[in-house]
Each structure stands twice: as structure tokens, then as C-alpha cells.
């Protein structure tokens, strides 16, 4: 499968069955046990990033790009904490949902836009991209990280599913049980590769964390300009 196919498939998925599935997971209504586990894991990832940024005590007015923002799970609390958040996502449906959620909360920002992260431009203090790289293969991820890095004045925060022996095995076993949830491919990434890409773009890793529940795995790296 080539790269263009990957992106079209991801976009179509998050505008259809993926939208329904993830909107529920990223919500607070009733979900099945697996989805609940993923919801809790994802919330831990969001909370980790929020706690890092709040600990720096400089969030007020800080410009943040949330690339692949989904339904605004991170963008909305960041805006509420005073950051100036520019959030975007390749899926119109996710962005529509994010806009509705922000109305419910009543925050003045973030701004939400439908945009593929590779076409993003501008310059932001911090660029964040959570749980998006899982949808793209290694070579594509390198391109995406480099582009996001070029938009970041000071810092980039990424999360991805790490390519470890245990996870590779789980993925292999999982592929014997195709289900509705596996409509897109999941790509694992080697941490050493991600770090190398960050370093070759002038960043060095400062903080890191691993969220691990039964069905959700996310390695989070914060890297700042050297
Ligand atoms: N970052 C959000 C969060 O953690 O709550 C959403 C994570 S969700 C698993 C992945 C999101 O990435 C989806 O909303 C999807 O539409 C978006 N996405 C996938 N590929 C993208 C791309 N090339 N550019 C922008 N967004 C993309």
C-alpha cells in the first residue's frame, strides 16, 4: 500500500466508522470494556501532557499547535488553561465534533480547522501531535515529524505506539481476529527511530512517559530545540 492510500484510508475512516467509534471512546457515554480501557488510557496520555505544560507555569498566551486534534480532548483543556491553541484535523467530522464540544464548555479558543498536518504552516511555541503516528508507516512518520518540527519554535510533543517485542506479538495475534475496530492498519514505531528523527531536526528529548493499559499503549516524548 502506498502513502497516498494510507492517508485517504485514514481520512475516510475518521469521517465514517472511525468517527463513530472514536467520538464514543473520547466521550463519557456508555462503551464496551475494551473501549473503556482505551478511553482511560488515552485520558492518561492527555493528563500527562497537561501536567507537563502546567508544571512549566508559562501556559498563559503560549501558542500551541495541536496537529490531528480529534474531538479536542487536549486542545479544549489547554485553551481553558490559557494557551492560544490552533487545532486541526484531517477529518471534517472530528473537527465538527470538536467545535460542538467547545461550545458546550464555553471556551473562547481553540480555533479548529480541517487540515492535513503536512499542509500546516505557521510558527508555534509548541507543536503537539498525539496518537496520530499510529496510522502511518515509518517513512511517512519521518516526513510528518520533520514537518511538525519545522513549525515548532521551541518544543514538540509526540505520542506513538512503541515497537516493542510484546506489542509486535500482540498485534500479530490481534490480526488473526479481524473486527470492526481494525478498519485501519496500526503501525508501531521504534523509539530509537523517532528520537533519531527528532535529533536530526535539531531537537533533544526532555521528558518522556509511557501510558500502558490493557489495550492502549502510548509512548510520549517531549523534545525541545537544542
Ligand atoms: N490527537 C487526538 C487525541 O489524542 O485526542 C486524536 C487522536 S485520534 C486516534 C487520531 C486523529 O488523527 C484522528 O482525529 C484523525 O482524523 C487524525 N489524523 C490522521 N491523520 C492525519 C493527518 N495526516 N493530518 C491531520 N490529522 C490526521
Amino acid at each position: 500500500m502506498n502513502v497516498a492510500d494510507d492517508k485517504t484510508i485514514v481520512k475516510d475512516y475518521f469521517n465514517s466508522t472511525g468517527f463513530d467509534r472514536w467520538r464514543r471512546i473520547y466521550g463519557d457515554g456508555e462503551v464496551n470494556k475494551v473501549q473503556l480501557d482505551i478511553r482511560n488510557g488515552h485520558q492518561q496520555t492527555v493528563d500527562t501532557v497537561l501536567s507537563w505544560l502546567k508544571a512549566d507555569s508559562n501556559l498563559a498566551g503560549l501558542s500551541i499547535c495541536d496537529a490531528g486534534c480529534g474531538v479536542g480532548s487536549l486542545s479544549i483543556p489547554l485553551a481553558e488553561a490559557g494557551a492560544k491553541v490552533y487545532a486541526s484535523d484531517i477529518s471534517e467530522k472530528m473537527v465538527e465534533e470538536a467545535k460542538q464540544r467547545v461550545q458546550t464548555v464555553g471556551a473562547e479558543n481553540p480555533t479548529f480547522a480541517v487540515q492535513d498536518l503536512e499542509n500546516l504552516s505557521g510558527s508555534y511555541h509548541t507543536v503537539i501531535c498525539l496518537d496520530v503516528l499510529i496510522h502511518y508507516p515509518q517513512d511517512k512518520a519521518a516526513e510528518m515529524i520533520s514537518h511538525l518540527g519545522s513549525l515548532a519554535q521551541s518544543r514538540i510533543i509526540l505520542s506513538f505506539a512503541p515497537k516493542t517485542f510484546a506489542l509486535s506479538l500482540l498485534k500479530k495475534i490481534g490480526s488473526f481476529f479481524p473486527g470492526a475496530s481494525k478498519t485501519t492498519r496500526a503501525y508501531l514505531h521504534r523509539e530509537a527511530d523517532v528520537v533519531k528523527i527528532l535529533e536530526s531536526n535539531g531537537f533533544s528529548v526532555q521528558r518522556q512517559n509511557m501510558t500502558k493499559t490493557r489495550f492502549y499503549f502510548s509512548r510520549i516524548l517531549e523534545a525541545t530545540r537544542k
Side-chain angles (χ1 to χ4, degrees), residues 183-213:
T183 322
T184 58
R185 289 189 62 181
Y187 296 94
L188 309 179
H189 298 280
R190 264 193 202 89
E191 180 166 347
D193 294 338
V194 176
V195 170
K196 212 191 272 171
I197 299 163
L198 287 168
E199 286 182 344
S200 68
N201 283 281
F203 292 88
S204 63
V205 174
Q206 301 299 332
R207 286 181 278 203
Q208 45 199 286
N209 192 65
M210 176 74 208
T211 311
K212 186 173 174 298
T213 63

Side-chain angles (χ1 to χ4, degrees), residues 5-107:
D5 287 338
D6 269 311
K7 203 187 284 186
T8 309
I9 288 169
V10 170
K11 183 178 176 177
D12 290 348
Y13 171 71
F14 280 103
N15 273 323
S16 57
T17 52
F19 169 68
D20 292 329
R21 172 177 157 82
W22 289 98
R23 178 184 52 157
R24 256 183 285 122
I25 291 175
Y26 294 155
D28 52 14
E30 208 173 300
V31 285
N32 68 36
K33 273 192 186 148
V34 174
Q35 292 171 334
L36 183 62
D37 177 88
I38 297 171
R39 175 189 287 172
N40 292 336
H42 173 258
Q43 190 58 46
Q44 284 176 38
T45 295
V46 168
D47 288 345
T48 297
V49 174
L50 282 173
S51 74
W52 285 351
L53 297 193
K54 285 181 179 171
D56 292 345
S57 308
N58 64 347
L59 253 188
L62 202 79
S63 63
I64 297 181
C65 166
D66 184 8
C69 64
V71 298
S73 310
L74 177 69
S75 298
I76 295 171
L78 275 179
E80 286 171 333
K84 189 97 192 76
V85 184
Y86 301 88
S88 53
D89 197 283
I90 200 170
S91 154
E92 294 105 274
K93 291 280 228 171
M94 296 297 260
V95 169
E96 228 171 75
E97 174 75 14
K99 283 183 179 164
Q100 277 180 17
R101 290 189 185 196
V102 86
Q103 276 164 13
T104 316
V105 178

Side-chain angles (χ1 to χ4, degrees), residues 59-206:
L59 253 188
L62 202 79
S63 63
I64 297 181
C65 166
D66 184 8
C69 64
V71 298
S73 310
L74 177 69
S75 298
I76 295 171
L78 275 179
E80 286 171 333
K84 189 97 192 76
V85 184
Y86 301 88
S88 53
D89 197 283
I90 200 170
S91 154
E92 294 105 274
K93 291 280 228 171
M94 296 297 260
V95 169
E96 228 171 75
E97 174 75 14
K99 283 183 179 164
Q100 277 180 17
R101 290 189 185 196
V102 86
Q103 276 164 13
T104 316
V105 178
E108 285 170 19
N109 90 88
T111 60
F112 285 107
V114 179
Q115 199 151 24
D116 170 356
L117 67 82
E118 282 167 301
N119 293 321
L120 285 176
S121 59
S123 180
Y124 311 88
H125 176 279
T126 298
V127 174
I128 306 180
C129 184
L130 295 188
D131 294 358
V132 177
L133 298 175
I134 189 163
H135 303 296
Y136 294 94
Q138 173 65 25
D139 57 333
K140 188 67 184 164
E143 232 178 85
M144 293 167 103
I145 295 169
S146 299
H147 181 61
L148 291 175
S150 75
L151 310 175
Q153 292 153 12
S154 297
R155 170 169 62 187
I156 178 163
I157 298 176
L158 298 172
S159 75
F160 55 95
K163 188 163 189 169
T164 59
F165 175 72
L167 259 188
S168 300
L169 193 69
L170 195 74
K171 197 183 158 216
K172 208 167 176 185
I173 297 167
S175 64
F176 287 121
F177 301 97
S181 64
K182 296 187 191 67
T183 322
T184 58
R185 289 189 62 181
Y187 296 94
L188 309 179
H189 298 280
R190 264 193 202 89
E191 180 166 347
D193 294 338
V194 176
V195 170
K196 212 191 272 171
I197 299 163
L198 287 168
E199 286 182 344
S200 68
N201 283 281
F203 292 88
S204 63
V205 174
Q206 301 299 332

